Amino acid sequence: MPALVLLGAQWGDEGKGKATDLLGGSVDYVVRYQGGNNAGHTVVVGDQKYALHLLPSGILSPGCVPVIGNGVVVDPSVLLSELSGLNERGVDTSKLLISGNAHIITPYNVTVDKVTERFLGKRKIGTTGRGIGPTYADKINRVGIRVQDLYDESILQQKVEAALDVKNQLLTKLYNRRAISADQVVEELLGYAAQIESYVADTTLILNDALDQDKVVLFEGGQGTLLDIDHGTYPFVTSSNPTAGGACTGTGVGPTKISRVIGILKAYTTRVGAGPFPTELFDADGEALRRIGGERGVTTGRDRRCGWFDAVIARYATRVNGLTDFFLTKLDVLTGWEEIPVCVAYEIDGKRVEELPYSQSDFHHAKPVYETLPGWSEDITGAKSFSDLPKNARAYVKALEEMSGAPISAIGVGPGRDETIQINSFL
Ligand code: GDP
Ligand code: IMO
Ligand code: MG
């Protein structure tokens, strides 16, 4: 069985953690391929709730090897505290593997993220402030620090000094901040080295060997398609590639090994941070979605912006990821609405548009064209099969499937592992 990718089809927080955890028991490896601790993936197992930021959700499945791929950016202090938090709760984390090529989020990257946002003022992105963008910028500028650099003190010293040369000019002369000491940064990073050494490995080799031996590898995306640096709503995006191609570059596994790409799709839409969002609601319905759906950020605690389902975005996710399946989540949250509007197209400057416009200004002007579907009032949280759903809920799912361009193979009807209706198997 080759590799599967599981990724966010909207603006993140679609329920990737729950979906990954659901498959965790049946796969051998769960691999994060991009992003870092900007992610917040919630997993509910029985009466226990876990919030994972950097670690792959597979860490909660005992038989599964969790892997942090080369495309991820790693804040070592967050890594260690997340590991010790799980250990205190009895979770065995000893199988974790971290790519030596993954880049390190240094303390100065976190500082630069925060001061840049402050400097942007009203034009800010609303980042998570975790240093993600500046770390990827250093990677592209070839002044990044990699996990393997922690094990060569003199190289580390040289690289940190080189990176801080320019940054300290910016911090002191432009942002009016104090310079950061290279020696202090090196000392802090060296302090993490021994603690994470046992996890560091050639993950590309290990994953390719595993696939050659017919092991099942699941790539778990962070963020979502519309937050992708290339295919998202730039510049209101994250600095990596959550889309399917990112799974290859972020792990060193070739595209011919991937057989299934599963898009996690919320039955309505949410977004955190700034940027365009055509179906956003500013009324009582938006407030109700936020309240019933518990739409508050796992990482930053910010309220999520909420709106109706947007089929234009779902179609776009199918296209740019080559989705083979959708996992529709949070259908239960829509219980109780008499009618549910679904955005089927946009109106842009008086014209009806069926596909996501590539022009940023057009997208900013896009007004949703709604079709209204009948709602349902029955509690669906106990539904185990598609036929257990009320007629109108089934019709809602079928309508979304038709508009979105890929089969809906699973439906979430609650946050728990077993609150899922499986229509087609993913494996
Ligand atoms: P992720 O970042 O994509 O992993 O998603 P988050 O964990 O940030 O947000 C999704 C939230 O929805 C979490 O609180 C999940 O426990 C919850 N959730 C996931 N699937 C379902 C579902 O089908 N129904 C309900 N009610 N909650 C769900
Ligand atoms: P998960 O994996 C939702 C958003 C931030 C901001 C933008 C850039 O839980 O779905 P960054 O710190 O990445 O430079 O911020 O991206 N963002 C997310 N929104 N879910 C996430 O992760 C996100 N990770 C980043 O709010 O708008
Ligand atoms: Mg999240």
Side-chain angles (χ1 to χ4, degrees), residues 8-16 222-228 231-234 236-238 242 264-266 268-280 304-310 312-314 316-317 346 356 363:
Q10 294 149 319
W11 276 288
D13 303 324
E14 299 90 348
K16 298 177 290 295
Q223 293 74 54
T225 300
L226 274 300
L227 286 172
D228 187 279
H231 301 291
T233 48
Y234 190 89
F236 301 102
V237 293
T238 192
I264 314 302
L265 186 68
K266 216 180 264 193
Y268 49 99
T269 316
T270 62
R271 170 161 209 175
V272 195
F277 177 179
T279 63
E280 182 167 16
R304 293 174 182 155
R305 301 158 64 192
C306 296
W308 299 124
F309 183 82
D310 185 336
V312 183
I313 280 174
Y316 180 72
Y346 299 143
L356 196 91
F363 193 57

Side-chain angles (χ1 to χ4, degrees), residues 52-109:
L52 300 166
H53 297 285
L54 174 60
L55 295 169
S57 302
I59 202 143
L60 300 172
S61 301
C64 174
V65 179
V67 181
I68 293 180
N70 57 276
V72 175
V73 288
V74 178
D75 184 326
S77 66
V78 171
L79 173 72
L80 291 169
S81 70
E82 210 166 310
L83 286 171
S84 69
L86 289 176
N87 295 153
E88 276 163 27
R89 294 174 72 178
V91 177
D92 173 20
T93 57
S94 60
K95 292 203 195 97
L96 176 70
L97 300 174
I98 304 173
S99 166
N101 287 349
H103 280 246
I104 298 265
I105 302 179
T106 62
Y108 51 79
N109 292 136

Side-chain angles (χ1 to χ4, degrees), residues 37-58:
N37 58 306
N38 48 348
H41 295 182
T42 316
V43 180
V44 179
V45 187
D47 61 354
Q48 294 287 309
K49 185 169 169 173
Y50 300 89
L52 300 166
H53 297 285
L54 174 60
L55 295 169
S57 302

